[in-house]
Amino acid sequence: MESNTSLEAVEDSPPFIEQVFDALLFDIAFCKLEPGERIRQSVLASQLKVSRQPISHALQLLKHEGLLQDSGRQGLQVTPIEPEYMRLLFQARRPLEASAAALAAQRVADHRANDDECEFLRRMLVAGQDKVRAHAPAPEIAMAEFQCHVALYRLSGNTVIEQMMNGRWAHIMRALITTHAKADILVAWEEHAAIADCVLRGSVLEASELVSRHVQRCGIALCKHLEEVLAQPSHL
């Protein structure tokens, strides 16, 4: 997911399915296309200045990712955010992230991680901390969260982990943007700093345990806040 891609940013280049997919993925992840919003191919074709064929293919890929769903005779809509789905996602995410942290720390301990990979994790951590201190908008902090975890995946040396998690992060980011619980954000970034410290010291077991606890705590808190937000009259 690229941070500089959006519906408005698609240029008059050949209408590749991947380009359309990335644009729509960005707008769903950042709630520019809101949960429950109906998807109109004719509108998207006009906005992106492409034919309906690449849009149709991209929409099917997004449906496969669970970000779009059938909406009766009206076609497709952006999938609503469901606390139960997020609970299951974080349940599945926990061992995967713990493995990434352990692999990353082991590579550091074995001197197999290169300087660029380590520096990328440091930079993403500092960038996220700066966003939190500056009380940046929810989408910016959500993107920083994503990038910090991507840095961990890349340091792990396991490209499959990043590939598996990329599609899931759109779900996570829009849930984070919807709730934007400031107290939890502060705790989360304190945990990120502790995790990065363990990984960059090559402390394998500690890094894995910290990530496991971090994902579990974040999942519980996120589902709780989602239930509170969705229970408000404006979301009924």
Side-chain angles (χ1 to χ4, degrees), residues 52 131 142 236:
R52 291 195 184 191
K131 294 285 186 186
L236 297 179

Side-chain angles (χ1 to χ4, degrees), residues 165-205:
M165 284 303 302
N166 263 345
R168 302 308 96 201
W169 266 99
H171 291 275
I172 297 168
M173 287 175 66
R174 65 196 195 121
L176 290 172
I177 292 168
T178 298
T179 56
H180 195 44
K182 292 182 172 57
D184 287 331
I185 290 171
L186 292 173
V187 174
W189 283 91
E190 289 172 359
E191 292 170 349
H192 289 159
I195 291 164
D197 178 65
C198 286
V199 168
L200 294 172
R201 283 191 289 104
S203 183
V204 178
L205 289 178

